[in-house]
Amino acid sequence: MRAGFPDFRLGNVLATSFTGTLSERCGDAVERIPVPQRLIDWLAVYGLAVDACTPAQLDHARELRESIHAAATAAALHEPLPAAAVQVIDDRSIAGRAAAVLTPGGERRWQLDSSSVEDALSVIAADAVDIISGERDGKLALCASPTCRAAFFDTSQSRTRKWCDMNTCGNRQKKARFNAGRRENPS
């Protein structure tokens, strides 16, 4: 990724990966899209290439990100969805013009009508609607890391995944438990 910015934490589910552009929410938060160009970069990684991004569009993207996180968190905790978050997700979902197209290899790709940030955000919002509404096979969960608490979509067979990302939060927690055990039982 671009020098001077934290790497993206990429996942397989568009909407929850988007919420991961702000990590360590309950600790020292890490903003992974601090400037419009970083949003352009993130969208390109997910096949949603846009031509440009204004500061106002970045603000709309962050508002959508936080709304998805709030709604996904409520869904994971089996609580009522926040009405304001639902409204933002719905508004962004219908604001863009994008279509799902089938590639020759049988994969779904999104085709943005105008390569605008609004079109890309509508795809992310539609993905959020699918996972929060239960339309997709999987379960919304929250990362067990006390500093992270990221919402993620668990598609594991047992639906018992604990970490948003084993390579970051999972390893950090396992290392902390290992070190705590060594302090308690020095050999």
Side-chain angles (χ1 to χ4, degrees), residues 4 15 26 35 47-48 58 67 83 91 93-94 104 108 111-114 120 126 128 130 137 142 155-156 180 183 186:
C26 299
V35 296
L48 299 170
L58 177 60
S67 296
D91 289 349
S93 181
I94 62 175
R108 180 191 73 185
Q111 183 173 332
L112 305 183
D113 186 51
S114 65
D130 280 351
D137 188 29
L142 298 177
T155 58
S156 68
R183 283 191 297 271

Side-chain angles (χ1 to χ4, degrees), residues 15-96:
T16 54
S17 294
F18 187 56
T19 66
T21 60
L22 179 66
S23 59
E24 299 301 314
R25 291 172 178 272
C26 299
D28 293 326
V30 178
E31 175 63 72
R32 296 174 191 280
I33 54 169
V35 296
Q37 182 60 49
R38 287 300 281 170
L39 178 60
I40 293 170
D41 296 343
W42 188 90
L43 292 169
V45 168
Y46 283 93
L48 299 170
V50 299
D51 296 328
C53 178
T54 67
Q57 288 171 319
L58 177 60
D59 289 343
H60 287 142
R62 288 181 180 155
E63 179 184 40
L64 175 61
R65 175 187 69 193
E66 296 312 303
S67 296
I68 293 170
H69 186 266
T73 297
L77 297 173
H78 306 288
E79 296 176 350
L81 302 180
V86 169
Q87 188 64 55
V88 168
I89 294 168
D90 289 349
D91 289 349
R92 295 286 179 266
S93 181
I94 62 175

Side-chain angles (χ1 to χ4, degrees), residues 9 161 163-172 174 177:
R9 294 174 72 181
R161 208 172 105 200
W163 317 109
C164 65
D165 183 7
M166 192 61 209
N167 292 325
T168 54
C169 292
N171 282 342
R172 190 178 316 131
K174 284 184 172 190
R177 279 196 313 265

